[in-house]
Amino acid sequence: MKKTIQNGKYRYRPVLFFALTYLFTWIFWIPAAFVPGETGAPLMMIGLIAPAVVSTAFVLLSGSDALKKDLKNKLIGFYKVRWANVFLAVGVFALIVAVSILLSLAFGQKMNQFSFTDDFSFTGVGVGSALITILAASVIEEVGWKGYCEDSIGNYMNWFWESLLFGVIWSFWHFPLLFIKGTYQAGLMVNPLYVVNFFISGIPLGYIITWVYLASDRSILACMIFHLFVNFMQEKIAMTPETKCVETIVVIIATVIIVMKKKDMFFETRHVGRLPDEVSIKGEMSK
């Protein structure tokens, strides 16, 4: 990694981060598509932790004390979490699911979607591996995406455009999972509409999780909790693929409302070009 300290100040490198994250994820996920059943589970898990590994390496090798201190604070600064906002976000997503199911009734879907599924969608990797994967995706992923990624993009633009760019890149990061038998994404291949919906749905979610992140003073724990709840709801609530298409529309509407309510958060530029120790995060970025 080239030296990134110029004139005594660290410069974020989001393009290199995403290139390495994709590389070290996909070199494990692509082979996993060609091995049978649970044999691919270790490869999937290694690929899943790639963002966290790359993110941590970027911070530790940055030569910036500010970034190292900031990562530590985001990981262990539990006091920073604004629980009321986390619970609000969880409640918003639960409402999104409920409204989506109710709207789907007009399209011939059933009320029994208000129930829990018996199994996980990750059937090909075993129940144990499925549960671990869901937990890891909620916890380990956020170390990568919030440890370095989002701030690296946000250092060059406001949080509105950062959320859009992150949502697109994060969504497409899952692409190889379409070809790994037994994954949730592979199950969508029965209908191109389901595949398209999956990738589109990740974009508005990028805005919602940015809201959770900033409102809790950039706490990784807050994002882990929200991500875990979203994964659980998507896996265990018996929504049909058709209803999840309706859900994407509802998520987009919710995102528009959140962005309009939090205009100063999403459109401010006070943080652009500044390191964590140069901006009063609590006072300026969580409004």
Side-chain angles (χ1 to χ4, degrees), residues 37-244:
E38 293 189 21
T39 307
L43 294 175
M44 288 179 57
M45 185 57 62
I46 295 172
L48 186 63
I49 67 176
V53 173
V54 175
S55 175
T56 303
F58 264 62
V59 172
L60 295 181
L61 298 176
S62 66
S64 170
D65 291 335
L67 261 65
K68 295 175 185 178
K69 181 180 179 180
D70 184 57
L71 178 60
K72 179 181 177 181
N73 288 337
K74 287 192 289 187
L75 286 171
I76 65 174
F78 300 151
Y79 63 89
K80 301 170 65 175
V81 177
R82 296 184 178 178
W83 294 106
N85 193 78
V86 174
F87 293 141
L88 175 60
V90 167
V92 167
F93 194 80
L95 181 62
I96 287 172
V97 170
V99 170
S100 300
I101 292 175
L102 292 175
L103 289 176
S104 75
L105 301 180
F107 301 96
Q109 304 306 302
K110 305 298 184 181
M111 184 66 78
N112 62 7
Q113 293 177 95
F114 284 107
S115 62
F116 292 111
T117 60
D118 294 327
D119 300 309
F120 291 96
S121 64
F122 285 80
T123 56
V125 297
V127 175
S129 295
L131 179 59
I132 292 173
T133 299
I134 291 172
L135 290 173
S138 309
V139 176
I140 301 176
E141 266 193 62
E142 291 305 328
V143 175
W145 304 133
K146 302 302 180 291
Y148 183 90
C149 167
E150 291 226 33
D151 291 313
S152 71
I153 303 174
N155 196 248
Y156 295 94
M157 61 191 72
N158 65 38
W159 295 108
F160 178 87
W161 292 113
E162 182 280 329
S163 299
L164 177 62
L165 184 57
F166 169 74
V168 171
I169 297 175
W170 173 58
S171 182
F172 187 67
W173 174 75
H174 296 83
F175 182 75
L177 296 178
L178 291 172
F179 308 100
I180 301 177
K181 186 177 180 181
T183 64
Y184 169 78
Q185 290 79 9
L188 301 175
M189 293 289 278
V190 296
N191 188 325
L193 176 62
Y194 302 159
V195 175
V196 172
N197 178 69
F198 172 78
F199 288 110
I200 291 177
S201 66
I203 300 174
L205 275 176
Y207 284 89
I208 296 178
I209 203 162
T210 294
W211 166 51
V212 174
Y213 178 57
L214 297 178
S216 276
D217 201 4
R218 298 164 62 251
S219 167
I220 292 178
L221 175 61
C223 297
M224 289 178 178
I225 294 171
F226 179 73
H227 197 157
L228 176 60
F229 182 78
V230 170
N231 281 356
F232 179 82
M233 294 290 282
Q234 295 299 94
E235 277 288 326
K236 297 304 293 179
I237 299 299
M239 288 189 291
T240 65
E242 292 81 6
T243 298
K244 289 187 178 181

Side-chain angles (χ1 to χ4, degrees), residues 247-284:
E247 181 188 42
T248 296
I249 297 174
V250 179
V251 170
I252 292 173
I253 294 172
T255 297
V256 171
I257 294 173
I258 291 171
V259 171
M260 294 302 293
K261 287 285 188 179
K262 297 293 182 179
K263 286 182 180 179
D264 186 64
M265 173 186 286
F266 282 98
F267 294 100
E268 61 89 7
T269 57
R270 296 181 292 272
H271 65 283
V272 175
R274 303 167 71 181
L275 295 182
D277 62 343
E278 298 174 325
V279 60
S280 175
I281 297 170
K282 187 173 183 179
E284 294 188 6

Side-chain angles (χ1 to χ4, degrees), residues 10-38:
Y10 178 79
R11 292 186 61 186
Y12 282 101
R13 307 188 71 187
V15 175
L16 180 60
F17 171 83
F18 278 113
L20 292 178
T21 297
Y22 267 61
L23 172 64
F24 289 115
T25 298
W26 287 17
I27 61 174
F28 292 104
W29 280 2
I30 291 175
F34 299 94
V35 296
E38 293 189 21

